[in-house]
């Protein structure tokens, strides 16, 4: 097995004998969203130049060649970010997992937890519910749709509407689809592959296999009969969110596993602040604003005073570090958001300190513009507390 290792936002050169043209074409046509590729030329010293974008994870190119996209932050902190973002911390599922040294190792650890929990659920019995069903039958079952019968007098069978008690419901279909993409990821160890197949077959005859997205795992209702599924669906969301578009290799579908780090950073900062903000504040993510009812945009994070409903902070997260100082567009955008939301504090949040940090009053306004750091290099809890202290240090209300 050949593994091509890249680090996000860093370029790596390959001689033509190290990277076949067919593999380069495969990367260009199927994965240019994640990896920028330049073909051999005088500019690249007649070598292939691969640059990973804001993604980390794993791409199975062929059964024999795989790409590993490594994070620029400590891998333990990447796992902690995922733990916060997917609310896995409250389930105490990842104890020991943050000590995994590679993304495949972490993937296997989390997939094994999910698979074992599904097998445990199968022993207790999968959740079932009544589902409305309509079917043409030679006998009466439930309620007969007489209006249909009058419109189709030649029909011998009766159009019956009835409730069916079944396990073929979304709760179980989500589990089945997640097991399918885990099994087709190319990341599973031999031992895990066996367990995944076993769990998959326990559900295969009960639920219909159909695609789902991570959003399908959010805002679901749970009761005393299906409360165990809340944990299962949280784990499924993790895999479904980061499962890339399937790539066909022969007759076999392969699913890459890719985490978009700039989005993860934004969601992590939101999740951490939601958990640690003082009780008199609340935070909202991706709040929509209109510019003159023409242009619609979304603010990364907005912090409110719970009592007055006043906007205290506008926060715009920036995962990619600028060369020296924030771009003019980032500055103008933060000021525009603060003006629209009538906030006096506009904050640009970075994972590393800037060479030229911002902390000034915007001319002809009462808005303070700052750049603050929520570092990913150190212990995240300590970094968060430093960020929170700096956030409230120069607050304007």
């Amino acid at each position: 097995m050949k593994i091509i290792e890249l680090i996000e936002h860093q370029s790596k050169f390959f001689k033509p004998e190290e990277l076949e043209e067919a593999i380069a074409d495969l990367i260009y046509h199927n994965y240019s969203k994640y990896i920028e590729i330049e073909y051999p030329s005088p500019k690249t010293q007649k070598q292939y130049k691969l640059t990973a974008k804001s993604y980390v994870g794993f791409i199975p190119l062929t059964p024999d060649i795989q790409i590993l996209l490594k994070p620029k932050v400590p891998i333990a902190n990447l796992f902690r970010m995922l733990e916060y973002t997917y609310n896995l911390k409250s389930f105490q599922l990842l104890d020991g997992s943050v000590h995994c040294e590679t993304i495949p190792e972490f993937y296997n650890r989390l997939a094994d937890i999910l698979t074992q929990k599904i097998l445990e659920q199968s022993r207790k019995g999968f959740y079932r519910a009544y589902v409305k069903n309509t079917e043409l039958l030679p006998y009466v079952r439930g309620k007969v749709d007489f209006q249909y019968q009058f419109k189709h007098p030649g029909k011998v069978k009766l159009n019956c509407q009835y409730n069916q008690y079944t396990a073929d419901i979304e709760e179980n279909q989500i589990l089945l689809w997640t097991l399918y993409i885990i099994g087709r990821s190319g990341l599973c160890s031999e031992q895990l592959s066996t367990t995944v197949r076993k769990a998959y077959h326990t559900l295969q005859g009960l639920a219909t296999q159909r695609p789902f997205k991570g959003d399908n795992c959010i805002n679901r209702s749970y009761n005393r009969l299906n409360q165990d599924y809340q944990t299962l669906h949280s784990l499924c969301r993790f895999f479904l969110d980061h499962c890339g578009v399937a790539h066909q290799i022969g007759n076999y579908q392969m699913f890459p596993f890719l985490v978009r780090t700039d989005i993860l950073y934004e969601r992590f900062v939101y999740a951490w602040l939601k958990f640690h903000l003082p009780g008199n504040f609340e935070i909202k993510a991706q709040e929509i604003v209109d510019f003159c009812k023409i242009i619609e945009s979304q603010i990364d994070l907005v912090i409110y005073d719970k009592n007055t409903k006043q906007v205290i902070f506008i926060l715009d997260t920036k995962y990619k570090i600028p060369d020296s100082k924030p771009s003019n567009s980032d500055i103008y955008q933060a000021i525009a958001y603060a003006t629209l939301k009538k906030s006096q504090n506009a904050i640009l949040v970075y994972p590393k300190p800037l060479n030229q940090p911002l902390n000034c009053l915007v001319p002809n306004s009462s808005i303070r513009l700052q750049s603050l750091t929520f570092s990913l290099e150190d212990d995240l809890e300590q970094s968060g507390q430093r960020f929170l202290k700096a956030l409230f240090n120069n607050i304007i209300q």
Side-chain angles (χ1 to χ4, degrees), residues 285-301:
Q286 293 297 305
E287 191 163 302
I288 298 174
V289 291
D290 289 325
F291 290 91
C292 303
K293 298 183 179 180
I294 299 175
I295 301 174
E296 189 177 274
S297 186
Q298 291 181 317
I299 308 174
D300 287 353
L301 304 171

Side-chain angles (χ1 to χ4, degrees), residues 37 42 129 187 203 233 291 304 324 327 379 381:
I37 181 169
L187 269 174
L203 269 167
H233 290 155
F291 290 91
Y304 289 85
S324 57
S327 67
D379 179 87
E381 295 303 323

